[in-house]
Amino acid sequence: MFWQVLLSSLLLGGVYGVVTIGLALIYGVMGVVNFAHGAFAILGAYLTFYFWTVSGWNPYTFMVPVFVVIFGLGALLQWGYLRFLPAGSVLAKLFGLLGAAYIIENTLLVVATADYRSIPNAWLQTYWSVLGLKINTGQFVAFCVSLVVVGLVAVFLQHTMAGKAIRAVVDDREMAGAMGINPAAIDILAFGLGSGLAAAGGVVIASYYTFTPASGMLFTILAFIAVVLGGMGSMTGALLGGFVVALVQNLIIAYGTIELQMLGLFVVFILILVVRPQGILGAR
Amino acid sequence: MRRPTLGWLGWGLFAAAALILPVFIRHNQFWLGTMITIWITTLNAQSWNVIAGYGGQWSLGQTVFFGVGAYTVALTFARLGLSPWLGLGLALVAAMLVSWVVGRPTFRLRGHYFSLATLAAALAFEAMAKYFESLTGGDFGISVPLGQNWLNMQWRSNVPYYYVGLALVLLGTLAVGRLDRSALGLRLRAIRDNEEAAESVGVGALAVKLQALAISACLAAAAGALFVMYLKFLDPRSAFGLGILVQTVLVSIAGGMGTVAGPLVGALLMVPVGEWTNAMFGGLRWAGLQYVIYGLILMLLILVLPDGIVGWWQKARARR
């Protein structure tokens, strides 16, 4: 039982990782917790759902268009709104983003109603077993797709000029500016990329989860807890945090009840903040 | 020295106008309902104002206290048969106890860590209300037993709810007015402006924040108690959901954070906007549109009027 839980947590954690590194990226560059992050993820899930309704194609085929649309939306939010907020006030941005999350959630409520949505996925019905553990094909595919997305982000950050510029701004904003990098442009890029990643996670979520407009806030909190667990601003940490959150969730579901998962996560969250506020990988 | 915004004359005029208003609107269900919603929202906004406006602790978990207040009244009435008036008193006590449980661990955190931890607390309470189904009715909610009797806080008309709400708003505003001028209020503002500096001159930040949260919790619990008796129905989402939170934040920011009159001014202006939207686009088909508009106004206000109406007015007068 325990090993089975561990395995499904690993698979689920990979999916969360796509969402959480987006949040960590935005936080690293701008020092802002994107309150609309989960809303972007669920918006991505709904876009996938509608593309699927129209075409009937495999949801993963919509990964690129959904990413591009939400990348644009995130970049627009930074370019057209967030950069005009008072620079010193992180909280103004936080509540501006809360407003944005609220607009997205309730627009979805009007357009798509509060009904639970899911995309039927034949892969979810098939299992194969390794070493006595059952692996769900649908979850395994989701995990592999997530790994590819995370890998692409890593390549982008390590080996492209734009990626290096983002990392430079994360390291030292002023210095990066002095070296000819335009931090304002990097903000727009990072916010777009982070939001796009949330939506990419949303595509994966749509392929094997049920969701409603209200799921957005849950994902914001899950991702935030993961990012805090990993150490704010650290991408590897965020990935690791995603696994821990998935593990805690699955343990509660396996040995307790799904309704109490929020309570369990809240307790873990507080415990981590008390015991190790800098996160697993964060430095003091 | 900050000058009060309205002064006793202003508050007296407001109270007098509010006392006579039902004479004109008692047969108009729309306006009567809107006014009662304004009182509930004012209490909620005042609650948020104490902890976020005065204390700088941007809690997103105020619905915990609203919900605990509402559930205390509903459960003691429906399950134990206690009068809601007694329930109201119990709701305040319960909310204060819960404020300690929530505040003790989360006040270790700063900034958005605190905001998100309190938001997680609200979701945890919502999950618990769903989980303990035999007690709370779970997702299906709980209905208040009907019976028109003043002891049951139920009447033939809605006018008495108006006056109960008005009384609670006046009491709450009076309490925040006292806080504004008290030593506790001063310490609270000191923590908001610079927690390290406040601690270094001997302000016990944790104790002050916990006291403020207890006051704040009472205000929200009163709002919750009035809410459930007026609507006579309660479910986890309406008690702990985000809907009330964003409305509360919006109203407080619109009115002006850290001012006595801000929440009332904000509620008087913002609630009718939402109610009009509801009336114009009535029905389940457009459920949510009201909140889209709230979200837009919130984003706009943070951009153009971050101090709120009362804050802007105070600054304008100070410049003169």
Side-chain angles (χ1 to χ4, degrees), chain A residues 14 18 21 63 141-155 197:
Chain A
V18 178
I21 58 170
M63 182 69 92
V141 172
F143 176 71
C144 293
V145 172
S146 307
L147 276 195
V148 171
V149 174
V150 171
L152 285 174
V153 174
V155 170
L197 281 170

Side-chain angles (χ1 to χ4, degrees), chain B:
Chain B
M1 188 64 201
R2 302 180 319 149
R3 277 188 288 180
T5 317
L6 284 178
W8 286 107
L9 183 66
W11 283 109
L13 282 174
F14 163 75
L19 276 172
I20 341 175
L21 187 64
V23 174
F24 306 106
I25 63 166
R26 80 198 130 118
H27 296 304
N28 185 334
Q29 287 309 312
F30 175 77
W31 274 107
L32 196 55
T34 302
M35 285 311 296
I36 295 169
T37 310
I38 287 176
W39 299 149
I40 295 171
T41 311
T42 305
L43 285 167
N44 264 327
Q46 201 64 275
S47 156
W48 203 67
N49 187 31
V50 168
I51 198 66
Y54 284 96
Q57 311 296 313
W58 296 59
S59 161
L60 294 178
Q62 293 307 97
T63 52
V64 167
F65 313 123
F66 178 84
V68 164
Y71 266 110
T72 306
V73 173
L75 292 177
T76 53
F77 187 32
R79 305 278 188 242
L80 302 176
L82 293 183
S83 163
W85 297 104
L86 193 60
L88 176 61
L90 290 172
L92 301 187
V93 176
M96 279 204 273
L97 291 176
V98 170
S99 81
W100 194 84
V101 173
V102 171
R104 195 66 235 281
T106 52
F107 275 139
R108 290 170 151 271
L109 314 171
R110 301 279 176 86
H112 40 236
Y113 285 86
F114 174 76
S115 300
L116 269 143
T118 48
L119 178 61
L123 292 184
F125 269 82
E126 188 181 351
M128 281 197 286
K130 284 180 185 169
Y131 180 69
F132 296 107
E133 213 174 340
S134 55
L135 186 67
T136 63
D139 261 329
F140 294 106
I142 184 170
S143 291
V144 169
L146 300 179
Q148 279 170 17
N149 179 341
W150 73 268
L151 257 178
N152 290 345
M153 218 191 263
Q154 290 175 43
W155 300 274
R156 215 147 39 103
S157 120
N158 279 333
V159 172
Y161 290 115
Y162 174 96
Y163 283 113
V164 173
L166 177 62
L168 290 172
V169 163
L170 289 177
L171 279 173
T173 309
L174 209 62
V176 176
R178 286 203 54 157
L179 176 76
D180 189 76
R181 276 161 290 141
S182 72
L184 179 65
L186 191 63
R187 292 194 193 105
L188 202 55
R189 282 197 293 268
I191 290 169
R192 173 189 67 191
D193 295 339
N194 190 335
E195 190 163 336
E196 279 77 20
E199 287 226 293
S200 73
V201 293
V203 174
L206 181 64
V208 170
K209 286 195 276 190
L210 281 173
Q211 284 173 40
L213 192 65
I215 298 170
S216 161
C218 280
L219 290 160
L226 179 61
F227 176 81
V228 69
M229 288 317 293
Y230 170 56
L231 287 181
K232 300 179 183 61
F233 173 78
L234 188 68
D235 64 1
R237 192 165 166 76
S238 61
F240 298 110
L242 277 176
I244 296 159
L245 174 76
V246 170
Q247 193 185 34
T248 303
V249 172
L250 169 63
V251 160
S252 312
I253 291 180
M257 308 274 298
T259 62
V260 179
L264 184 62
V265 173
L268 284 168
L269 284 173
M270 286 296 145
V271 173
V273 174
E275 298 293 310
W276 270 323
T277 321
N278 262 356
M280 294 247 279
F281 302 93
L284 274 177
R285 180 68 197 85
W286 295 98
L289 190 66
Q290 176 193 1
Y291 298 119
V292 175
I293 291 172
Y294 276 164
L296 282 170
I297 299 177
L298 176 61
M299 286 179 77
L300 209 66
L301 274 176
I302 292 171
L303 193 62
V304 297
L305 201 66
D307 292 323
I309 295 155
V310 175
W312 168 80
W313 168 248
Q314 283 178 342
K315 275 191 185 165
R317 279 212 319 187
R319 267 201 298 274
R320 254 202 331 237

Side-chain angles (χ1 to χ4, degrees), chain A residues 77-111:
Chain A
L77 188 61
Q78 168 62 27
W79 175 77
Y81 177 68
L82 291 173
R83 71 186 168 114
F84 297 112
L85 293 180
S89 174
V90 170
L91 288 164
K93 294 199 174 79
L94 200 132
F95 280 84
L97 285 165
L98 184 69
Y102 214 55
I103 293 169
I104 294 172
E105 177 180 333
N106 286 293
T107 306
L108 283 174
L109 203 60
V110 173
V111 176

Side-chain angles (χ1 to χ4, degrees), chain A residues 133-205:
Chain A
L133 293 175
K134 284 203 313 187
I135 298 178
N136 183 306
T137 316
Q139 287 185 358
F140 185 72
V141 172
F143 176 71
C144 293
V145 172
S146 307
L147 276 195
V148 171
V149 174
V150 171
L152 285 174
V153 174
V155 170
F156 170 76
L157 288 177
Q158 297 291 336
H159 299 290
T160 65
M161 270 322 274
K164 285 176 185 167
I166 287 181
R167 286 193 296 134
V169 172
V170 173
D171 258 7
D172 190 330
R173 203 179 173 82
E174 277 72 38
M175 206 45 149
M179 294 293 148
I181 295 168
N182 178 1
I186 293 298
D187 282 350
I188 296 170
L189 177 65
F191 210 90
L193 187 58
S195 308
L197 281 170
V203 175
V204 183
I205 289 159

